[in-house]
Amino acid sequence: MSVNGKTVLITGAARGIGQEAARIFAAAGANVVAADINDCSQTVELVGKEGGKALAVELDVTDAASALAAVEQAVGEFGRLDALINNAALYGALRGGRFDAIAEADWDASMNVNVKGIWNCCKAAVPAIRQQGGGSIVNISSLAATFGMPFSLHYTTSKAAVIGLTRGLARELGRDNIRVNAIAPSAVLTEGTKEFFADKTEVALKTVKAGQALQRNLEAVDVTGAMTWLVSDDSRFVTGQTIAVDGGTVFH
Ligand SMILES: NC(=O)c1ccc[n+]([C@@H]2O[C@H](COP(=O)([O-])OP(=O)(O)OC[C@H]3O[C@@H](n4cnc5c(N)ncnc54)[C@H](O)[C@@H]3O)[C@@H](O)[C@H]2O)c1
């Protein structure tokens, strides 16, 4: 599962799963571009301590020009782009509730960041990935979509859209040797999860675990394992797929 020498742009890398991904990819010898609307210097510091290479880039995925600038910085620093991991999302900041009580602004923000954000980053990154003969795009969906999580319909719907985007784009980019896959993780305790479930976090994690075949909660490293495989050439004939990293909750 070699990602050694590959340049990987990871969005939402200031904390949580994205930060862990930056650490794991850099430790495996990848050149990491840690991109986020928030400061990624802590991520770069963590990577540096472990002897890896990472570049922090300011990125607002909702802004096409910002996405283009992030890709330009990545190529400027490392000379190429092999992979894009679309991990950034609005998650903890969204207020849940019954479908008819969701604020319109939250619905729009969810679609803007979680769906349009991926489209923007793909548009920016594909020319660079294409130029060097192909590569891999990994989009982070969620068990929310594959299971059908209630009381957060904006989030659930946005993560289901990620699966459709992945499938359609995989067919468009196959001829460029660019693979597009998604990962649907179950629940892992990140700051985003704590913000999302608030005082119900413990109950939510217990409930998710009870529905899994494997009886422990997901860890960020479980997700990065699937990311590494999807970026590596070991998955070179896999595209358009959604890999459930959910301990056996939903069987496709
Ligand atoms: N944590 C979980 O249990 C879980 C489960 C399934 C799927 N996911 C998905 O995994 C991904 C990471 O989750 P997490 O728990 O680490 O989330 P998190 O909230 O801890 O981190 C998300 C990151 O995205 C960044 N971000 C938000 N809006 C942005 C924008 N407009 N431009 C650039 N960056 C932006 C944030 O600053 C943050 O650093 C998300 O796509 C989330 O939906 C998480």
PDB file of all heavy atoms in Angstrom, residues 12-18 35-38 59-62 86-92 113 140-143 155 159 185-193 195, ligand 1:
ATOM      1  N   GLY A  12      -9.853  19.947   5.037  1.00  0.00           N
ATOM      2  CA  GLY A  12     -10.336  19.775   6.413  1.00  0.00           C
ATOM      3  C   GLY A  12      -9.269  19.133   7.286  1.00  0.00           C
ATOM      4  O   GLY A  12      -9.576  18.305   8.151  1.00  0.00           O
ATOM      5  N   ALA A  13      -8.020  19.544   7.093  1.00  0.00           N
ATOM      6  CA  ALA A  13      -6.892  18.871   7.763  1.00  0.00           C
ATOM      7  C   ALA A  13      -6.440  19.587   9.033  1.00  0.00           C
ATOM      8  O   ALA A  13      -5.417  19.244   9.600  1.00  0.00           O
ATOM      9  CB  ALA A  13      -5.720  18.736   6.792  1.00  0.00           C
ATOM     10  N   ALA A  14      -7.206  20.575   9.501  1.00  0.00           N
ATOM     11  CA  ALA A  14      -6.790  21.304  10.711  1.00  0.00           C
ATOM     12  C   ALA A  14      -7.051  20.507  11.977  1.00  0.00           C
ATOM     13  O   ALA A  14      -6.451  20.766  13.014  1.00  0.00           O
ATOM     14  CB  ALA A  14      -7.507  22.648  10.789  1.00  0.00           C
ATOM     15  N   ARG A  15      -7.954  19.527  11.904  1.00  0.00           N
ATOM     16  CA  ARG A  15      -8.273  18.741  13.102  1.00  0.00           C
ATOM     17  C   ARG A  15      -8.952  17.427  12.670  1.00  0.00           C
ATOM     18  O   ARG A  15      -9.177  17.185  11.489  1.00  0.00           O
ATOM     19  CB  ARG A  15      -9.173  19.535  14.045  1.00  0.00           C
ATOM     20  CG  ARG A  15     -10.574  19.766  13.502  1.00  0.00           C
ATOM     21  CD  ARG A  15     -11.463  20.501  14.494  1.00  0.00           C
ATOM     22  NE  ARG A  15     -12.865  20.282  14.182  1.00  0.00           N
ATOM     23  CZ  ARG A  15     -13.883  20.787  14.874  1.00  0.00           C
ATOM     24  NH1 ARG A  15     -13.653  21.556  15.913  1.00  0.00           N
ATOM     25  NH2 ARG A  15     -15.132  20.530  14.521  1.00  0.00           N
ATOM     26  N   GLY A  16      -9.257  16.602  13.638  1.00  0.00           N
ATOM     27  CA  GLY A  16     -10.070  15.402  13.418  1.00  0.00           C
ATOM     28  C   GLY A  16      -9.469  14.409  12.441  1.00  0.00           C
ATOM     29  O   GLY A  16      -8.246  14.197  12.400  1.00  0.00           O
ATOM     30  N   ILE A  17     -10.325  13.809  11.637  1.00  0.00           N
ATOM     31  CA  ILE A  17      -9.917  12.754  10.707  1.00  0.00           C
ATOM     32  C   ILE A  17      -8.910  13.298   9.687  1.00  0.00           C
ATOM     33  O   ILE A  17      -7.941  12.618   9.331  1.00  0.00           O
ATOM     34  CB  ILE A  17     -11.163  12.165   9.989  1.00  0.00           C
ATOM     35  CG1 ILE A  17     -12.065  11.442  10.994  1.00  0.00           C
ATOM     36  CG2 ILE A  17     -10.745  11.214   8.868  1.00  0.00           C
ATOM     37  CD1 ILE A  17     -13.427  11.013  10.438  1.00  0.00           C
ATOM     38  N   GLY A  18      -9.126  14.535   9.233  1.00  0.00           N
ATOM     39  CA  GLY A  18      -8.209  15.127   8.243  1.00  0.00           C
ATOM     40  C   GLY A  18      -6.809  15.295   8.799  1.00  0.00           C
ATOM     41  O   GLY A  18      -5.817  15.055   8.103  1.00  0.00           O
ATOM     42  N   ALA A  35      -4.984  21.343   3.978  1.00  0.00           N
ATOM     43  CA  ALA A  35      -5.766  22.518   3.597  1.00  0.00           C
ATOM     44  C   ALA A  35      -7.017  22.625   4.465  1.00  0.00           C
ATOM     45  O   ALA A  35      -7.699  21.621   4.709  1.00  0.00           O
ATOM     46  CB  ALA A  35      -6.151  22.418   2.125  1.00  0.00           C
ATOM     47  N   ASP A  36      -7.309  23.838   4.896  1.00  0.00           N
ATOM     48  CA  ASP A  36      -8.480  24.029   5.761  1.00  0.00           C
ATOM     49  C   ASP A  36      -8.831  25.509   5.807  1.00  0.00           C
ATOM     50  O   ASP A  36      -7.983  26.365   5.546  1.00  0.00           O
ATOM     51  CB  ASP A  36      -8.153  23.539   7.180  1.00  0.00           C
ATOM     52  CG  ASP A  36      -9.390  23.159   7.989  1.00  0.00           C
ATOM     53  OD1 ASP A  36     -10.210  24.046   8.309  1.00  0.00           O
ATOM     54  OD2 ASP A  36      -9.538  21.960   8.301  1.00  0.00           O
ATOM     55  N   ILE A  37     -10.077  25.782   6.173  1.00  0.00           N
ATOM     56  CA  ILE A  37     -10.489  27.172   6.384  1.00  0.00           C
ATOM     57  C   ILE A  37      -9.868  27.676   7.691  1.00  0.00           C
ATOM     58  O   ILE A  37      -9.694  28.872   7.883  1.00  0.00           O
ATOM     59  CB  ILE A  37     -12.039  27.265   6.386  1.00  0.00           C
ATOM     60  CG1 ILE A  37     -12.503  28.695   6.172  1.00  0.00           C
ATOM     61  CG2 ILE A  37     -12.646  26.681   7.654  1.00  0.00           C
ATOM     62  CD1 ILE A  37     -13.967  28.799   5.768  1.00  0.00           C
ATOM     63  N   ASN A  38      -9.542  26.745   8.573  1.00  0.00           N
ATOM     64  CA  ASN A  38      -8.840  27.085   9.815  1.00  0.00           C
ATOM     65  C   ASN A  38      -7.351  26.776   9.678  1.00  0.00           C
ATOM     66  O   ASN A  38      -6.937  26.032   8.784  1.00  0.00           O
ATOM     67  CB  ASN A  38      -9.447  26.318  10.993  1.00  0.00           C
ATOM     68  CG  ASN A  38     -10.785  26.907  11.416  1.00  0.00           C
ATOM     69  OD1 ASN A  38     -10.948  28.123  11.440  1.00  0.00           O
ATOM     70  ND2 ASN A  38     -11.730  26.051  11.729  1.00  0.00           N
ATOM     71  N   LEU A  59      -7.714  27.275   2.792  1.00  0.00           N
ATOM     72  CA  LEU A  59      -8.684  26.889   1.762  1.00  0.00           C
ATOM     73  C   LEU A  59     -10.103  26.993   2.286  1.00  0.00           C
ATOM     74  O   LEU A  59     -10.430  26.431   3.336  1.00  0.00           O
ATOM     75  CB  LEU A  59      -8.412  25.425   1.336  1.00  0.00           C
ATOM     76  CG  LEU A  59      -9.527  24.719   0.547  1.00  0.00           C
ATOM     77  CD1 LEU A  59      -9.679  25.302  -0.855  1.00  0.00           C
ATOM     78  CD2 LEU A  59      -9.247  23.222   0.449  1.00  0.00           C
ATOM     79  N   ASP A  60     -10.938  27.682   1.529  1.00  0.00           N
ATOM     80  CA  ASP A  60     -12.381  27.624   1.784  1.00  0.00           C
ATOM     81  C   ASP A  60     -12.980  26.857   0.613  1.00  0.00           C
ATOM     82  O   ASP A  60     -13.013  27.350  -0.521  1.00  0.00           O
ATOM     83  CB  ASP A  60     -12.955  29.044   1.863  1.00  0.00           C
ATOM     84  CG  ASP A  60     -14.474  29.030   2.053  1.00  0.00           C
ATOM     85  OD1 ASP A  60     -15.068  27.929   2.066  1.00  0.00           O
ATOM     86  OD2 ASP A  60     -15.058  30.118   2.172  1.00  0.00           O
ATOM     87  N   VAL A  61     -13.431  25.634   0.868  1.00  0.00           N
ATOM     88  CA  VAL A  61     -13.889  24.776  -0.231  1.00  0.00           C
ATOM     89  C   VAL A  61     -15.105  25.341  -0.965  1.00  0.00           C
ATOM     90  O   VAL A  61     -15.384  24.936  -2.092  1.00  0.00           O
ATOM     91  CB  VAL A  61     -14.177  23.323   0.240  1.00  0.00           C
ATOM     92  CG1 VAL A  61     -12.926  22.650   0.768  1.00  0.00           C
ATOM     93  CG2 VAL A  61     -15.311  23.277   1.258  1.00  0.00           C
ATOM     94  N   THR A  62     -15.819  26.266  -0.321  1.00  0.00           N
ATOM     95  CA  THR A  62     -17.008  26.832  -0.985  1.00  0.00           C
ATOM     96  C   THR A  62     -16.631  27.853  -2.052  1.00  0.00           C
ATOM     97  O   THR A  62     -17.495  28.320  -2.788  1.00  0.00           O
ATOM     98  CB  THR A  62     -17.962  27.501   0.029  1.00  0.00           C
ATOM     99  OG1 THR A  62     -17.318  28.651   0.587  1.00  0.00           O
ATOM    100  CG2 THR A  62     -18.348  26.546   1.145  1.00  0.00           C
ATOM    101  N   ASN A  86     -11.198  14.695  -0.243  1.00  0.00           N
ATOM    102  CA  ASN A  86     -12.247  15.658   0.092  1.00  0.00           C
ATOM    103  C   ASN A  86     -12.874  15.266   1.421  1.00  0.00           C
ATOM    104  O   ASN A  86     -13.875  14.547   1.482  1.00  0.00           O
ATOM    105  CB  ASN A  86     -13.296  15.682  -1.029  1.00  0.00           C
ATOM    106  CG  ASN A  86     -12.813  16.410  -2.258  1.00  0.00           C
ATOM    107  OD1 ASN A  86     -12.350  17.550  -2.170  1.00  0.00           O
ATOM    108  ND2 ASN A  86     -12.898  15.764  -3.414  1.00  0.00           N
ATOM    109  N   ASN A  87     -12.250  15.769   2.489  1.00  0.00           N
ATOM    110  CA  ASN A  87     -12.640  15.402   3.844  1.00  0.00           C
ATOM    111  C   ASN A  87     -13.372  16.539   4.573  1.00  0.00           C
ATOM    112  O   ASN A  87     -14.150  16.303   5.484  1.00  0.00           O
ATOM    113  CB  ASN A  87     -11.361  15.000   4.604  1.00  0.00           C
ATOM    114  CG  ASN A  87     -11.547  14.937   6.097  1.00  0.00           C
ATOM    115  OD1 ASN A  87     -12.091  13.961   6.623  1.00  0.00           O
ATOM    116  ND2 ASN A  87     -11.110  15.969   6.809  1.00  0.00           N
ATOM    117  N   ALA A  88     -13.129  17.791   4.138  1.00  0.00           N
ATOM    118  CA  ALA A  88     -13.737  18.944   4.820  1.00  0.00           C
ATOM    119  C   ALA A  88     -15.257  18.848   4.758  1.00  0.00           C
ATOM    120  O   ALA A  88     -15.824  18.464   3.730  1.00  0.00           O
ATOM    121  CB  ALA A  88     -13.285  20.249   4.167  1.00  0.00           C
ATOM    122  N   ALA A  89     -15.888  19.190   5.852  1.00  0.00           N
ATOM    123  CA  ALA A  89     -17.356  19.194   5.859  1.00  0.00           C
ATOM    124  C   ALA A  89     -17.869  20.038   6.998  1.00  0.00           C
ATOM    125  O   ALA A  89     -17.167  20.257   7.981  1.00  0.00           O
ATOM    126  CB  ALA A  89     -17.890  17.769   5.998  1.00  0.00           C
ATOM    127  N   LEU A  90     -19.094  20.490   6.865  1.00  0.00           N
ATOM    128  CA  LEU A  90     -19.818  21.076   7.982  1.00  0.00           C
ATOM    129  C   LEU A  90     -20.505  19.918   8.672  1.00  0.00           C
ATOM    130  O   LEU A  90     -21.279  19.170   8.062  1.00  0.00           O
ATOM    131  CB  LEU A  90     -20.878  22.052   7.486  1.00  0.00           C
ATOM    132  CG  LEU A  90     -20.502  23.518   7.364  1.00  0.00           C
ATOM    133  CD1 LEU A  90     -21.761  24.334   7.220  1.00  0.00           C
ATOM    134  CD2 LEU A  90     -19.647  24.018   8.507  1.00  0.00           C
ATOM    135  N   TYR A  91     -20.219  19.783   9.934  1.00  0.00           N
ATOM    136  CA  TYR A  91     -20.705  18.620  10.670  1.00  0.00           C
ATOM    137  C   TYR A  91     -21.117  19.100  12.064  1.00  0.00           C
ATOM    138  O   TYR A  91     -22.290  19.332  12.326  1.00  0.00           O
ATOM    139  CB  TYR A  91     -19.563  17.597  10.656  1.00  0.00           C
ATOM    140  CG  TYR A  91     -19.677  16.383  11.525  1.00  0.00           C
ATOM    141  CD1 TYR A  91     -20.866  15.702  11.659  1.00  0.00           C
ATOM    142  CD2 TYR A  91     -18.558  15.890  12.206  1.00  0.00           C
ATOM    143  CE1 TYR A  91     -20.946  14.571  12.455  1.00  0.00           C
ATOM    144  CE2 TYR A  91     -18.635  14.761  12.993  1.00  0.00           C
ATOM    145  CZ  TYR A  91     -19.834  14.117  13.130  1.00  0.00           C
ATOM    146  OH  TYR A  91     -19.913  13.002  13.918  1.00  0.00           O
ATOM    147  N   GLY A  92     -20.118  19.354  12.929  1.00  0.00           N
ATOM    148  CA  GLY A  92     -20.443  19.788  14.285  1.00  0.00           C
ATOM    149  C   GLY A  92     -21.212  21.105  14.337  1.00  0.00           C
ATOM    150  O   GLY A  92     -22.031  21.319  15.233  1.00  0.00           O
ATOM    151  N   VAL A 113     -21.005  23.506   1.596  1.00  0.00           N
ATOM    152  CA  VAL A 113     -19.685  22.995   2.013  1.00  0.00           C
ATOM    153  C   VAL A 113     -19.534  21.520   1.622  1.00  0.00           C
ATOM    154  O   VAL A 113     -18.551  21.125   0.970  1.00  0.00           O
ATOM    155  CB  VAL A 113     -19.485  23.158   3.544  1.00  0.00           C
ATOM    156  CG1 VAL A 113     -18.142  22.560   3.967  1.00  0.00           C
ATOM    157  CG2 VAL A 113     -19.567  24.631   3.941  1.00  0.00           C
ATOM    158  N   ILE A 140     -15.196  11.886   1.344  1.00  0.00           N
ATOM    159  CA  ILE A 140     -15.691  11.326   2.598  1.00  0.00           C
ATOM    160  C   ILE A 140     -17.204  11.517   2.704  1.00  0.00           C
ATOM    161  O   ILE A 140     -17.702  12.635   2.836  1.00  0.00           O
ATOM    162  CB  ILE A 140     -14.968  11.935   3.826  1.00  0.00           C
ATOM    163  CG1 ILE A 140     -13.445  11.828   3.644  1.00  0.00           C
ATOM    164  CG2 ILE A 140     -15.401  11.222   5.106  1.00  0.00           C
ATOM    165  CD1 ILE A 140     -12.915  10.428   3.363  1.00  0.00           C
ATOM    166  N   SER A 141     -17.905  10.390   2.635  1.00  0.00           N
ATOM    167  CA  SER A 141     -19.352  10.369   2.839  1.00  0.00           C
ATOM    168  C   SER A 141     -19.599  10.023   4.309  1.00  0.00           C
ATOM    169  O   SER A 141     -18.827  10.447   5.179  1.00  0.00           O
ATOM    170  CB  SER A 141     -19.990   9.362   1.879  1.00  0.00           C
ATOM    171  OG  SER A 141     -21.377   9.258   2.122  1.00  0.00           O
ATOM    172  N   SER A 142     -20.589   9.223   4.609  1.00  0.00           N
ATOM    173  CA  SER A 142     -20.869   8.908   6.022  1.00  0.00           C
ATOM    174  C   SER A 142     -21.882   7.776   6.122  1.00  0.00           C
ATOM    175  O   SER A 142     -22.725   7.584   5.235  1.00  0.00           O
ATOM    176  CB  SER A 142     -21.435  10.143   6.724  1.00  0.00           C
ATOM    177  OG  SER A 142     -21.851   9.817   8.030  1.00  0.00           O
ATOM    178  N   LEU A 143     -21.822   7.094   7.256  1.00  0.00           N
ATOM    179  CA  LEU A 143     -22.877   6.141   7.617  1.00  0.00           C
ATOM    180  C   LEU A 143     -24.240   6.843   7.669  1.00  0.00           C
ATOM    181  O   LEU A 143     -25.277   6.224   7.445  1.00  0.00           O
ATOM    182  CB  LEU A 143     -22.551   5.528   8.995  1.00  0.00           C
ATOM    183  CG  LEU A 143     -23.564   4.565   9.604  1.00  0.00           C
ATOM    184  CD1 LEU A 143     -23.629   3.265   8.792  1.00  0.00           C
ATOM    185  CD2 LEU A 143     -23.203   4.239  11.055  1.00  0.00           C
ATOM    186  N   TYR A 155     -27.539  17.083   6.755  1.00  0.00           N
ATOM    187  CA  TYR A 155     -26.253  16.377   6.748  1.00  0.00           C
ATOM    188  C   TYR A 155     -26.383  15.036   5.995  1.00  0.00           C
ATOM    189  O   TYR A 155     -25.573  14.724   5.121  1.00  0.00           O
ATOM    190  CB  TYR A 155     -25.788  16.147   8.189  1.00  0.00           C
ATOM    191  CG  TYR A 155     -24.439  15.464   8.293  1.00  0.00           C
ATOM    192  CD1 TYR A 155     -23.257  16.139   7.988  1.00  0.00           C
ATOM    193  CD2 TYR A 155     -24.337  14.128   8.690  1.00  0.00           C
ATOM    194  CE1 TYR A 155     -22.017  15.504   8.078  1.00  0.00           C
ATOM    195  CE2 TYR A 155     -23.108  13.502   8.787  1.00  0.00           C
ATOM    196  CZ  TYR A 155     -21.949  14.196   8.485  1.00  0.00           C
ATOM    197  OH  TYR A 155     -20.728  13.570   8.572  1.00  0.00           O
ATOM    198  N   LYS A 159     -24.409  14.003   2.502  1.00  0.00           N
ATOM    199  CA  LYS A 159     -23.468  12.878   2.431  1.00  0.00           C
ATOM    200  C   LYS A 159     -23.931  11.829   1.408  1.00  0.00           C
ATOM    201  O   LYS A 159     -23.120  11.093   0.839  1.00  0.00           O
ATOM    202  CB  LYS A 159     -23.281  12.264   3.820  1.00  0.00           C
ATOM    203  CG  LYS A 159     -22.498  13.176   4.763  1.00  0.00           C
ATOM    204  CD  LYS A 159     -21.081  13.419   4.230  1.00  0.00           C
ATOM    205  CE  LYS A 159     -20.238  14.295   5.101  1.00  0.00           C
ATOM    206  NZ  LYS A 159     -18.870  14.461   4.609  1.00  0.00           N
ATOM    207  N   PRO A 185     -17.661   6.341   6.754  1.00  0.00           N
ATOM    208  CA  PRO A 185     -17.315   5.895   8.110  1.00  0.00           C
ATOM    209  C   PRO A 185     -18.519   5.941   9.045  1.00  0.00           C
ATOM    210  O   PRO A 185     -19.438   6.734   8.834  1.00  0.00           O
ATOM    211  CB  PRO A 185     -16.278   6.937   8.580  1.00  0.00           C
ATOM    212  CG  PRO A 185     -16.071   7.886   7.433  1.00  0.00           C
ATOM    213  CD  PRO A 185     -17.222   7.719   6.501  1.00  0.00           C
ATOM    214  N   SER A 186     -18.451   5.114  10.109  1.00  0.00           N
ATOM    215  CA  SER A 186     -19.456   5.258  11.177  1.00  0.00           C
ATOM    216  C   SER A 186     -18.978   6.366  12.112  1.00  0.00           C
ATOM    217  O   SER A 186     -18.310   7.290  11.660  1.00  0.00           O
ATOM    218  CB  SER A 186     -19.673   3.925  11.912  1.00  0.00           C
ATOM    219  OG  SER A 186     -18.448   3.394  12.359  1.00  0.00           O
ATOM    220  N   ALA A 187     -19.269   6.296  13.384  1.00  0.00           N
ATOM    221  CA  ALA A 187     -18.971   7.436  14.269  1.00  0.00           C
ATOM    222  C   ALA A 187     -17.646   7.262  14.988  1.00  0.00           C
ATOM    223  O   ALA A 187     -17.372   6.220  15.568  1.00  0.00           O
ATOM    224  CB  ALA A 187     -20.094   7.601  15.276  1.00  0.00           C
ATOM    225  N   VAL A 188     -16.839   8.310  14.929  1.00  0.00           N
ATOM    226  CA  VAL A 188     -15.571   8.340  15.648  1.00  0.00           C
ATOM    227  C   VAL A 188     -15.584   9.600  16.509  1.00  0.00           C
ATOM    228  O   VAL A 188     -16.130  10.635  16.104  1.00  0.00           O
ATOM    229  CB  VAL A 188     -14.372   8.299  14.668  1.00  0.00           C
ATOM    230  CG1 VAL A 188     -14.519   9.259  13.536  1.00  0.00           C
ATOM    231  CG2 VAL A 188     -13.047   8.578  15.386  1.00  0.00           C
ATOM    232  N   LEU A 189     -15.001   9.497  17.684  1.00  0.00           N
ATOM    233  CA  LEU A 189     -15.027  10.631  18.609  1.00  0.00           C
ATOM    234  C   LEU A 189     -14.011  11.692  18.191  1.00  0.00           C
ATOM    235  O   LEU A 189     -12.833  11.608  18.512  1.00  0.00           O
ATOM    236  CB  LEU A 189     -14.735  10.154  20.040  1.00  0.00           C
ATOM    237  CG  LEU A 189     -14.928  11.210  21.128  1.00  0.00           C
ATOM    238  CD1 LEU A 189     -16.353  11.729  21.157  1.00  0.00           C
ATOM    239  CD2 LEU A 189     -14.548  10.638  22.485  1.00  0.00           C
ATOM    240  N   THR A 190     -14.492  12.683  17.434  1.00  0.00           N
ATOM    241  CA  THR A 190     -13.667  13.847  17.082  1.00  0.00           C
ATOM    242  C   THR A 190     -14.332  15.072  17.711  1.00  0.00           C
ATOM    243  O   THR A 190     -15.440  14.970  18.253  1.00  0.00           O
ATOM    244  CB  THR A 190     -13.607  14.054  15.555  1.00  0.00           C
ATOM    245  OG1 THR A 190     -14.949  14.272  15.096  1.00  0.00           O
ATOM    246  CG2 THR A 190     -12.994  12.878  14.827  1.00  0.00           C
ATOM    247  N   GLU A 191     -13.665  16.209  17.581  1.00  0.00           N
ATOM    248  CA  GLU A 191     -14.297  17.437  18.078  1.00  0.00           C
ATOM    249  C   GLU A 191     -15.616  17.681  17.348  1.00  0.00           C
ATOM    250  O   GLU A 191     -16.594  18.136  17.923  1.00  0.00           O
ATOM    251  CB  GLU A 191     -13.352  18.622  17.887  1.00  0.00           C
ATOM    252  CG  GLU A 191     -12.202  18.626  18.880  1.00  0.00           C
ATOM    253  CD  GLU A 191     -11.115  19.601  18.487  1.00  0.00           C
ATOM    254  OE1 GLU A 191     -11.342  20.804  18.681  1.00  0.00           O
ATOM    255  OE2 GLU A 191     -10.072  19.160  17.986  1.00  0.00           O
ATOM    256  N   GLY A 192     -15.619  17.359  16.056  1.00  0.00           N
ATOM    257  CA  GLY A 192     -16.835  17.515  15.253  1.00  0.00           C
ATOM    258  C   GLY A 192     -17.974  16.681  15.823  1.00  0.00           C
ATOM    259  O   GLY A 192     -19.115  17.147  15.936  1.00  0.00           O
ATOM    260  N   THR A 193     -17.665  15.446  16.219  1.00  0.00           N
ATOM    261  CA  THR A 193     -18.689  14.545  16.782  1.00  0.00           C
ATOM    262  C   THR A 193     -19.210  15.091  18.104  1.00  0.00           C
ATOM    263  O   THR A 193     -20.422  15.074  18.361  1.00  0.00           O
ATOM    264  CB  THR A 193     -18.081  13.132  16.980  1.00  0.00           C
ATOM    265  OG1 THR A 193     -17.682  12.648  15.700  1.00  0.00           O
ATOM    266  CG2 THR A 193     -19.073  12.171  17.589  1.00  0.00           C
ATOM    267  N   GLU A 195     -19.308  18.192  19.006  1.00  0.00           N
ATOM    268  CA  GLU A 195     -20.153  19.364  18.731  1.00  0.00           C
ATOM    269  C   GLU A 195     -21.513  18.923  18.176  1.00  0.00           C
ATOM    270  O   GLU A 195     -22.545  19.488  18.507  1.00  0.00           O
ATOM    271  CB  GLU A 195     -19.467  20.280  17.712  1.00  0.00           C
ATOM    272  CG  GLU A 195     -18.246  21.006  18.266  1.00  0.00           C
ATOM    273  CD  GLU A 195     -17.335  21.576  17.175  1.00  0.00           C
ATOM    274  OE1 GLU A 195     -17.718  21.546  15.984  1.00  0.00           O
ATOM    275  OE2 GLU A 195     -16.240  22.033  17.526  1.00  0.00           O
TER     276      GLU A 195
HETATM  277  N1  LIG B   1     -16.423  12.046  13.016  1.00  0.00           N
HETATM  278  C1  LIG B   1     -17.312  11.166  12.598  1.00  0.00           C
HETATM  279  O1  LIG B   1     -17.881  10.388  13.374  1.00  0.00           O
HETATM  280  C2  LIG B   1     -17.630  11.063  11.122  1.00  0.00           C
HETATM  281  C3  LIG B   1     -18.422   9.998  10.679  1.00  0.00           C
HETATM  282  C4  LIG B   1     -18.703   9.897   9.327  1.00  0.00           C
HETATM  283  C5  LIG B   1     -18.211  10.837   8.440  1.00  0.00           C
HETATM  284  N2  LIG B   1     -17.450  11.877   8.919  1.00  0.00           N
HETATM  285  C6  LIG B   1     -16.932  12.828   7.949  1.00  0.00           C
HETATM  286  O2  LIG B   1     -15.518  12.794   8.043  1.00  0.00           O
HETATM  287  C7  LIG B   1     -14.997  14.092   7.750  1.00  0.00           C
HETATM  288  C8  LIG B   1     -14.143  14.599   8.889  1.00  0.00           C
HETATM  289  O3  LIG B   1     -14.894  14.533  10.081  1.00  0.00           O
HETATM  290  P1  LIG B   1     -14.327  15.118  11.455  1.00  0.00           P
HETATM  291  O4  LIG B   1     -15.109  14.469  12.546  1.00  0.00           O
HETATM  292  O5  LIG B   1     -12.859  15.048  11.465  1.00  0.00           O
HETATM  293  O6  LIG B   1     -14.844  16.637  11.322  1.00  0.00           O
HETATM  294  P2  LIG B   1     -14.338  17.950  12.043  1.00  0.00           P
HETATM  295  O7  LIG B   1     -15.523  18.835  12.180  1.00  0.00           O
HETATM  296  O8  LIG B   1     -13.573  17.624  13.290  1.00  0.00           O
HETATM  297  O9  LIG B   1     -13.319  18.558  10.954  1.00  0.00           O
HETATM  298  C9  LIG B   1     -13.780  19.090   9.753  1.00  0.00           C
HETATM  299  C10 LIG B   1     -12.742  20.055   9.219  1.00  0.00           C
HETATM  300  O10 LIG B   1     -13.283  20.648   8.027  1.00  0.00           O
HETATM  301  C11 LIG B   1     -12.946  22.029   8.038  1.00  0.00           C
HETATM  302  N3  LIG B   1     -13.866  22.825   7.221  1.00  0.00           N
HETATM  303  C12 LIG B   1     -15.155  23.131   7.479  1.00  0.00           C
HETATM  304  N4  LIG B   1     -15.636  23.953   6.529  1.00  0.00           N
HETATM  305  C13 LIG B   1     -14.631  24.171   5.639  1.00  0.00           C
HETATM  306  C14 LIG B   1     -14.514  24.941   4.447  1.00  0.00           C
HETATM  307  N5  LIG B   1     -15.529  25.682   3.980  1.00  0.00           N
HETATM  308  N6  LIG B   1     -13.336  24.901   3.783  1.00  0.00           N
HETATM  309  C15 LIG B   1     -12.289  24.182   4.240  1.00  0.00           C
HETATM  310  N7  LIG B   1     -12.332  23.465   5.389  1.00  0.00           N
HETATM  311  C16 LIG B   1     -13.497  23.451   6.076  1.00  0.00           C
HETATM  312  C17 LIG B   1     -13.036  22.427   9.521  1.00  0.00           C
HETATM  313  O11 LIG B   1     -12.326  23.634   9.782  1.00  0.00           O
HETATM  314  C18 LIG B   1     -12.432  21.200  10.200  1.00  0.00           C
HETATM  315  O12 LIG B   1     -11.043  21.332  10.387  1.00  0.00           O
HETATM  316  C19 LIG B   1     -16.209  14.971   7.445  1.00  0.00           C
HETATM  317  O13 LIG B   1     -16.452  14.942   6.054  1.00  0.00           O
HETATM  318  C20 LIG B   1     -17.325  14.276   8.196  1.00  0.00           C
HETATM  319  O14 LIG B   1     -18.579  14.608   7.656  1.00  0.00           O
HETATM  320  C21 LIG B   1     -17.151  12.008  10.237  1.00  0.00           C
END
